[in-house]
Amino acid sequence: MVLVACGPYTTSDSVAYEPLADLIEVIARDRPDVCVLFGPFLDAKHEQVENCQLLGAFADVFKLCLKTIIEGTRSAGSQLVFVPSARDVHHDSVYPQPPFVFPELHKDDKARVHFVSDPCTLDVD
């Protein structure tokens, strides 16, 4: 089973990531083999981003988002594929986009977490 989701993963009035929490629950419940997650993960068009109302740096908010996804889906064992968006405020807005860099990735997750470029070709099984 392949699950595909597209960001943004926030509501228009908050960066608390409530929709992302719902998605993580679905992944934990349904245990898809592969989850392809398209950005934006922190949307450049979000009102709080545009008005500089975030309490942390863009990269820090993004890292927290990734950590939440990776740790929240660990028990499901799903392969996670992260695809950037031109609207990811913390990432390069050039095209083609390079993959995200996340050096904090825990060694136990390296086999199931994949960062790809946009565009990319994904071969599943």
Side-chain angles (χ1 to χ4, degrees), residues 27-118:
I27 293 170
R29 182 191 68 218
D30 295 348
R31 298 180 175 268
D33 298 303
V34 179
C35 299
V36 182
L37 305 174
F38 291 89
F41 294 91
L42 183 56
D43 193 358
K45 300 285 185 183
H46 194 281
E47 180 180 323
Q48 290 180 356
V49 171
E50 288 182 327
N51 294 326
C52 299
Q53 295 175 330
L54 295 181
L55 298 177
F58 297 148
D60 293 340
V61 174
F62 170 71
K63 287 177 185 179
L64 181 60
C65 175
L66 279 187
K67 184 177 176 184
T68 301
I69 296 168
I70 293 167
E71 290 178 0
T73 61
R74 193 173 282 144
S75 65
S78 302
Q79 297 286 313
L80 300 176
V81 180
F82 291 93
V83 184
S85 164
R87 285 180 33 183
D88 278 305
V89 71
H90 68 283
H91 196 53
D92 299 327
S93 60
V94 298
Y95 195 81
Q97 280 186 291
F100 294 128
V101 176
F102 190 59
E104 296 87 356
L105 184 63
H106 192 272
K107 65 179 180 177
D108 294 340
D109 293 317
K110 289 187 179 189
R112 71 177 194 94
V113 176
H114 312 277
F115 299 103
V116 298
S117 61
D118 175 23

